Amino acid sequence: EVRLVESGGGLVQPGGSLRLSCAASGFTVSNYWMFWVRQIPGEGLVWVSDMNKDGTNTMYADSVKGRFTISRDNAKNTLYLQMNSLRAEDTAVYYCVRGGLPAGLDCWGQGTLVTVSS
Amino acid sequence: QSALTQPPSASGSPGQSVTISCTGTSSDVGGYNYVSWYQQHPGKAPKLMIYEVTKRPSGVPDRFSGSKSGNTASLTVSGLQAEDEADYYCCSSYAGSDIYVFGSGTKVTVL
């Protein structure tokens, strides 16, 4: 069974850091584009970042560029999102997602909630 | 890249059809056939329903169909069922790149 399980969310103060993890099973992350998508509770989905299959290309939304870093550990079959200089507006559920063009985002984790508040 | 525009709500009675629009620009929806649609029930993760404008992943009922005209893509749900009540989001690649933009979301209510 193809599965993505996020962890690492929680409460953090403004300016703080968190690292989200996404453990994949049933497939190999290095064979797919991988994504982070976030959703403020009660609001819509927002693309945050992605990484290509061989890990040589990463992209970020303007709102997180320079603060967030996507990475991957092939041996652990795990995707990460390092989030630094967190702001209140980063508060959201963060989803780890498999997919890419042209086939769409075909497998989503259950999400992990990040709350940035003092 | 601005969010794609969707109507906030749509509704229909069981058995009827509902169509949701998703309007972008020539840099996203209109320029490439990389439009996908996602269904999200409350408290759940989104689920891929349509990709490449018209294609359905395995397991998605054929009641769900997609189309595109110019800068506007559409999702039609035919033969509405109670379980179709959910939020629906469109998504497009921006400029055919690795940057993605989502729609604002549409809440579908089955009356």
Side-chain angles (χ1 to χ4, degrees):
Chain A
E1 179 193 6
V2 172
R3 196 173 179 214
L4 293 166
V5 178
E6 302 96 335
S7 60
L11 176 63
V12 61
Q13 292 189 339
S17 298
L18 273 180
R19 188 177 81 157
L20 305 183
S21 300
C22 170
S25 57
F27 74 100
T28 302
V29 291
S30 57
N31 289 340
Y32 291 85
W33 283 75
M34 296 297 297
F35 297 73
W36 289 98
V37 174
R38 70 184 181 185
Q39 183 174 35
I40 296 172
E43 299 190 13
L45 301 170
V46 177
W47 168 80
V48 173
S49 178
D50 60 49
M51 172 180 281
N52 67 347
K53 290 181 185 181
D54 62 13
T56 59
N57 189 40
T58 57
M59 299 292 288
Y60 299 92
D62 288 344
S63 58
V64 306
K65 201 173 295 183
R67 300 187 299 122
F68 289 13
T69 302
I70 189 171
S71 63
R72 191 178 71 198
D73 185 329
N74 292 340
K76 294 183 178 179
N77 210 29
T78 298
L79 183 74
Y80 301 99
L81 185 67
Q82 177 67 44
M83 304 186 296
N84 298 331
S85 303
L86 282 161
R87 307 166 180 167
E89 55 265 35
D90 295 319
T91 294
V93 173
Y94 285 75
Y95 292 102
C96 170
V97 192
R98 183 185 84 168
L101 300 178
L105 307 176
D106 69 342
C107 179
W108 295 64
Q110 85 287 353
T112 187
L113 177 62
V114 172
T115 303
V116 184
S117 175
S118 54
Chain B
Q1 312 86 32
S2 301
L4 306 175
T5 301
Q6 297 181 233
S9 64
S11 63
S13 299
Q16 291 187 332
S17 295
V18 65
T19 297
I20 304 164
S21 61
C22 169
T23 302
T25 69
S26 58
S27 294
D28 39 61
V29 173
Y32 308 88
N33 288 328
Y34 293 143
V35 177
S36 51
W37 289 90
Y38 302 86
Q39 177 192 65
Q40 186 179 34
H41 288 107
K44 301 294 187 181
K47 174 187 175 184
L48 177 65
M49 304 302 284
I50 295 286
Y51 66 98
E52 282 188 85
V53 180
T54 62
K55 298 179 180 179
R56 277 188 312 276
S58 174
V60 172
D62 60 7
R63 304 185 291 103
F64 292 85
S65 62
S67 62
K68 190 183 84 167
S69 177
N71 295 338
T72 298
S74 298
L75 173 72
T76 297
V77 185
S78 305
L80 268 173
Q81 298 183 6
E83 59 262 35
D84 300 332
E85 185 162 294
D87 294 325
Y88 291 83
Y89 296 91
C90 60
C91 180
S92 174
S93 163
Y94 182 78
S97 71
D98 311 322
I99 296 171
Y100 290 74
V101 59
F102 282 93
S104 45
T106 299
K107 180 175 181 59
V108 169
T109 300
V110 181
L111 301 172

